[in-house]
Amino acid sequence: MAQGHKFQDLEETGEVLVALINSSEPVKLQQVKAEHQALFYKHLETKKIVTQILKDTAQIEESASKRLLDMEEQKKHRQKELENLEEQLQQCTAKSLITDSEIQFLQNELESLRKTEGKLETLQKEVDEDTTEIIPSALYVAQVYYLITKIKWEYDTPANILKGVHYGLDLATPINVDTSTRSRNDISDQLWGFVSTKW
């Protein structure tokens, strides 16, 4: 239906043109020609403008696509940096927990040493203040050694036999050494081996 209207419009336009030509009015023909040329030039200018707009749009789209790709790359890079920072934070947190545990252990050891020192001071005061009783020097030294070494000696043994028990944190170890068969240095090293070095 629409094509019928277009054909009718074209036919009418053709009739007008034929009538103009038959009328042989040069002025009107020149006017029509001028209008036709103006329309043609306007069409060319419009086409040129539209072509430029399309080129500009294509360049803008290309630039936007490039910027979008760059932003995606930056986003991936930042995401990786964030993951690295999170991993470092977890490692630092783990180290902090270990350090806290070590500090707690050292505080416990310090408290234990303070208690031992308190016991030694109490024992010293008892010795200093007790003027009515005579405490044998060997017994006092043995008590001090026990507090330091945690070794309890048996005194009713032959002269060449060292016999006792070392009371460790988790284990009691019997000691039975024949001093006639070993050097003093060897025996000393063995006994000091029982003493904890964690102060």
Side-chain angles (χ1 to χ4, degrees), residues 123 127 133-147 152-153 155:
L123 187 59
V127 171
E133 293 183 20
I134 298 174
I135 301 176
S137 177
L139 181 59
Y140 171 72
V141 171
Q143 289 175 337
V144 172
Y145 283 168
Y146 172 72
L147 289 174
K152 188 171 185 180
W153 296 106
Y155 299 102

Side-chain angles (χ1 to χ4, degrees), residues 116-146:
T116 302
E117 184 181 5
K119 289 178 182 178
L120 288 173
E121 288 177 357
T122 301
L123 187 59
Q124 181 66 46
K125 286 179 183 178
E126 288 176 359
V127 171
D128 291 341
E129 293 174 359
D130 192 358
T131 57
T132 59
E133 293 183 20
I134 298 174
I135 301 176
S137 177
L139 181 59
Y140 171 72
V141 171
Q143 289 175 337
V144 172
Y145 283 168
Y146 172 72

Side-chain angles (χ1 to χ4, degrees), residues 14-196:
E15 289 176 357
V16 170
L17 288 173
V18 170
L20 286 173
I21 292 171
N22 289 335
S23 66
S24 64
E25 295 180 11
V27 177
K28 285 188 177 182
L29 287 174
Q30 288 292 336
Q31 184 180 356
V32 169
K33 183 178 179 183
E35 290 176 356
H36 183 265
Q37 284 180 345
L39 182 63
F40 177 74
Y41 290 140
K42 189 168 181 79
H43 170 72
L44 287 179
E45 186 66 24
T46 303
K47 183 178 179 181
K48 184 178 178 183
I49 292 171
V50 170
T51 301
Q52 187 61 42
I53 289 172
L54 291 175
K55 286 182 179 179
D56 292 343
T57 303
Q59 288 179 353
I60 291 171
E61 287 178 352
E62 183 180 356
S63 176
S65 298
K66 189 174 183 302
R67 287 179 60 191
L68 181 61
L69 289 174
D70 291 343
M71 289 174 67
E72 286 291 332
E73 190 65 29
Q74 289 180 2
K75 182 179 177 183
K76 289 179 181 178
H77 183 67
R78 295 298 169 91
Q79 183 68 29
K80 190 171 182 179
E81 286 182 347
L82 180 61
E83 290 173 359
N84 289 338
L85 287 174
E86 287 177 350
E87 184 177 350
Q88 290 177 10
L89 178 61
Q90 289 176 355
Q91 291 176 354
C92 289
T93 303
K95 288 180 181 177
S96 175
L97 292 176
I98 292 172
T99 303
D100 290 343
S101 175
E102 290 175 348
I103 290 173
Q104 184 63 42
F105 173 77
L106 291 175
Q107 287 176 340
N108 291 340
E109 288 295 314
L110 180 60
E111 187 63 29
S112 176
L113 287 174
R114 284 177 179 162
K115 288 179 181 178
T116 302
E117 184 181 5
K119 289 178 182 178
L120 288 173
E121 288 177 357
T122 301
L123 187 59
Q124 181 66 46
K125 286 179 183 178
E126 288 176 359
V127 171
D128 291 341
E129 293 174 359
D130 192 358
T131 57
T132 59
E133 293 183 20
I134 298 174
I135 301 176
S137 177
L139 181 59
Y140 171 72
V141 171
Q143 289 175 337
V144 172
Y145 283 168
Y146 172 72
L147 289 174
I148 295 172
T149 64
K150 304 298 184 192
I151 297 175
K152 188 171 185 180
W153 296 106
E154 292 182 20
Y155 299 102
D156 56 342
T157 60
N160 65 321
I161 299 297
L162 289 177
K163 195 170 185 182
V165 178
H166 173 259
Y167 295 94
L169 293 176
D170 301 317
L171 181 66
T173 306
I175 299 171
N176 192 352
V177 179
D178 185 352
T179 60
S180 64
T181 61
R182 298 175 61 182
S183 69
R184 292 172 64 90
N185 288 339
D186 189 23
I187 295 169
S188 177
D189 290 342
Q190 180 184 353
L191 296 178
W192 278 111
F194 288 108
V195 179
S196 173

